Amino acid sequence: MTVNVRPVQDNEFFTWLDLYAGYGDFYENPVTDEKALLVWSWISDPGNELEAYFAVDEDGVPIGLAHVREFARPLDGSKGLYLDDLFVAPGARGAGAGSALLDALRQAAKDRGLSVVRWITAKDNATARRLYDRFAKKTSWVTYDLVP
């Protein structure tokens, strides 16, 4: 299967929502209407940092989704691209959508002069980690969340 990557368009809310809701379901964090509309408002606002990309099959049907944003790396003196979310529809897994998204994000970072593409994943997400291990180096950093 040939998979291409392209930005999500303004008129694709419901297509985006189907994949985004699948991502939420996977992580047992349901996407409410309120959350979906908020995130979509970020994606559709050219002044917001969040960008969304689809992996599409040979018929142009979206089968994967990535949300990314640039971030500053003060100690490195550079900027990077942070991959917040990556999801491939269950029926399309193994067809290359995840790889296509990671390749496209690597190229986007290179084209923008960014120093890294960075992301986190759940420790028990073995399927995704097999893919990620083919593309990137696992770091020794530990992630913390400080809830206000």
Side-chain angles (χ1 to χ4, degrees):
M1 173 187 293
T2 301
V3 178
N4 293 303
V5 175
R6 64 169 177 78
V8 172
Q9 303 298 312
D10 285 340
N11 64 345
E12 296 181 302
F13 172 77
F14 291 106
T15 304
W16 166 85
L17 180 58
D18 285 344
L19 288 167
Y20 184 48
Y23 179 72
D25 290 345
F26 179 81
Y27 278 109
E28 298 178 358
N29 188 353
V31 174
T32 63
D33 290 347
E34 181 179 47
K35 188 188 308 182
L37 291 172
L38 176 62
V39 174
W40 184 255
S41 77
W42 296 340
I43 292 167
S44 59
D45 176 359
N48 190 285
E49 63 190 356
L50 188 65
E51 303 169 51
Y53 293 90
F54 280 145
V56 297
D57 67 15
E58 62 268 1
D59 296 322
V61 175
I63 57 173
L65 172 69
H67 293 142
V68 298
R69 59 191 158 85
E70 288 189 21
F71 70 102
R73 301 184 67 209
L75 192 56
D76 192 57
S78 69
K79 287 190 171 186
L81 191 64
Y82 194 84
L83 172 59
D84 284 293
D85 309 312
L86 189 143
F87 178 74
V88 175
R93 291 185 184 150
S99 295
L101 285 162
L102 291 174
D103 277 334
L105 296 176
R106 178 188 358 231
Q107 187 61 50
K110 182 178 179 182
D111 293 347
R112 295 180 193 186
L114 305 176
S115 60
V116 70
V117 179
R118 176 172 289 156
W119 65 91
I120 62 172
T121 193
K123 184 187 280 190
D124 64 351
N125 192 350
T127 301
R129 290 181 66 188
R130 280 192 296 277
L131 170 68
Y132 299 158
D133 287 345
R134 292 193 342 246
F135 278 82
K137 180 182 82 172
K138 186 171 68 171
T139 71
S140 60
W141 294 96
V142 177
T143 302
Y144 292 88
D145 284 340
L146 176 63
V147 179

